[in-house]
Amino acid sequence: AQRVTQPEKLLSVFKGAPVELKCNYSYSGSPELFWYVQYSRQRLQLLLRHISRESIKGFTADLNKGETSFHLKKPFAQEEDSAMYYCALDNQGGKLIFGQGTELSVKP
Amino acid sequence: DAMVIQNPRYQVTQFGKPVTLSCSQTLNHNVMYWYQQKSSQAPKLLFHYYDKDFNNEADTPDNFQSRRPNTSFCFLDIRSPGLGDAAMYLCATSSLFGQQETQYFGPGTRLLVL
């Protein structure tokens, strides 16, 4: 079955510390993976997608097919990064399967 | 400059009383989606429209229906809400239906069933 797993419900770090939000997936085909973010009192929005291989707000994510992972990383966390982060898998050309989300809290 | 609008933001209904949630978009996107997100759970796709073509997920209960009268509007009808249907309902749109497409989300409607 296609599934996205985010093992951490809450991740708390201090400002300036590195951040890694974990995402593992199970998918039989060629996966298309995304990270969506929801800041406090805002709507869910796309942060980045693996196909773009881009860095957004200092975040990067590398697809590791061997480990079936798509972890989100940032070398130096900022307080404004505090939000809910969802990893998502596109399983049929447009249908998203979301992980349960990880709440990132960046303390001053 | 809201692009995907959901009304109301909060909806209270009674057990068994039909309720309709609405979504509108100013993006002129072809695809509209409805997701259900229960407390501390992942958003789960209920169905989507590609233009006027309706696509139901296999495990979406029959209690949930949808209408899309035009490009801009999409409605979620819950015929007989149960306590288990209390959740956040998210509407999203995308320009096309495909793996490269970004989905744009509304703020959600939180449904409470009494």
Side-chain angles (χ1 to χ4, degrees), chain B residues 73-94:
Chain B
F73 284 87
C74 193
F75 300 98
L76 170 61
D77 301 310
I78 309 176
R79 290 191 298 191
S80 182
L83 298 179
D85 297 327
M88 177 72 87
Y89 289 88
L90 299 172
C91 175
T93 73
S94 65

Side-chain angles (χ1 to χ4, degrees), chain B residues 46-73:
Chain B
L46 295 173
F47 26 61
H48 75 274
Y49 272 96
Y50 184 63
D51 286 335
K52 294 185 178 181
D53 291 333
F54 176 72
N55 297 270
N56 205 29
E57 293 302 295
D59 55 356
T60 298
D62 292 339
N63 200 22
F64 290 83
Q65 305 285 321
S66 186
R67 296 170 284 134
R68 190 178 184 187
N70 53 51
T71 301
S72 301
F73 284 87

Side-chain angles (χ1 to χ4, degrees), chain A residues 9 27 30-32 34 36 38 41-46 49 51 84 86 90-101, chain B residues 2-5 9 33 35 37 40-45 48 55-57 90 97-107:
Chain A
K9 288 190 73 171
Y27 185 63
S30 182
E32 189 69 32
F34 304 81
Y36 278 79
Q38 187 168 26
R41 286 193 273 278
Q42 294 188 30
R43 59 194 68 199
L44 197 58
Q45 58 187 292
L46 178 69
R49 69 186 85 195
I51 194 114
M84 195 76 180
Y86 293 93
D90 187 316
N91 75 337
Q92 278 185 45
K95 296 186 181 183
L96 290 179
I97 296 175
F98 284 90
Q100 289 189 295
Chain B
M3 297 179 289
V4 182
I5 303 155
R9 295 293 303 275
Y33 309 81
Y35 290 86
Q37 185 177 22
S40 301
Q41 295 186 23
K44 181 176 176 300
L45 182 64
H48 75 274
N55 297 270
N56 205 29
E57 293 302 295
L90 299 172
F97 190 68
Q99 279 192 327
Q100 308 300 327
E101 296 299 317
T102 299
Q103 292 190 21
Y104 295 85
F105 284 82

Side-chain angles (χ1 to χ4, degrees), chain A:
Chain A
Q2 290 129 357
R3 188 168 56 244
V4 176
T5 303
Q6 294 179 247
E8 303 140 328
K9 288 190 73 171
L10 173 65
L11 184 62
S12 185
V13 302
F14 286 102
K15 177 182 172 182
V19 169
E20 182 178 67
L21 292 93
K22 291 182 168 43
C23 172
N24 289 90
Y25 66 90
S26 62
Y27 185 63
S28 55
S30 182
E32 189 69 32
L33 286 149
F34 304 81
W35 278 97
Y36 278 79
V37 61
Q38 187 168 26
Y39 300 101
S40 179
R41 286 193 273 278
Q42 294 188 30
R43 59 194 68 199
L44 197 58
Q45 58 187 292
L46 178 69
L47 179 63
L48 56 78
R49 69 186 85 195
H50 100 265
I51 194 114
S52 301
R53 298 186 181 275
E54 56 197 345
S55 173
I56 302 292
K57 300 185 179 184
F59 285 97
T60 58
D62 291 318
L63 179 61
N64 186 323
K65 291 186 179 181
E67 295 182 359
T68 60
S69 68
F70 187 57
H71 303 327
L72 183 68
K73 300 178 184 179
K74 184 169 182 176
F76 307 103
Q78 304 298 316
E79 288 181 68
E80 55 266 30
D81 296 329
S82 296
M84 195 76 180
Y85 291 80
Y86 293 93
C87 183
L89 166 72
D90 187 316
N91 75 337
Q92 278 185 45
K95 296 186 181 183
L96 290 179
I97 296 175
F98 284 90
Q100 289 189 295
T102 297
E103 182 181 353
L104 175 64
S105 174
V106 182
K107 299 186 187 324

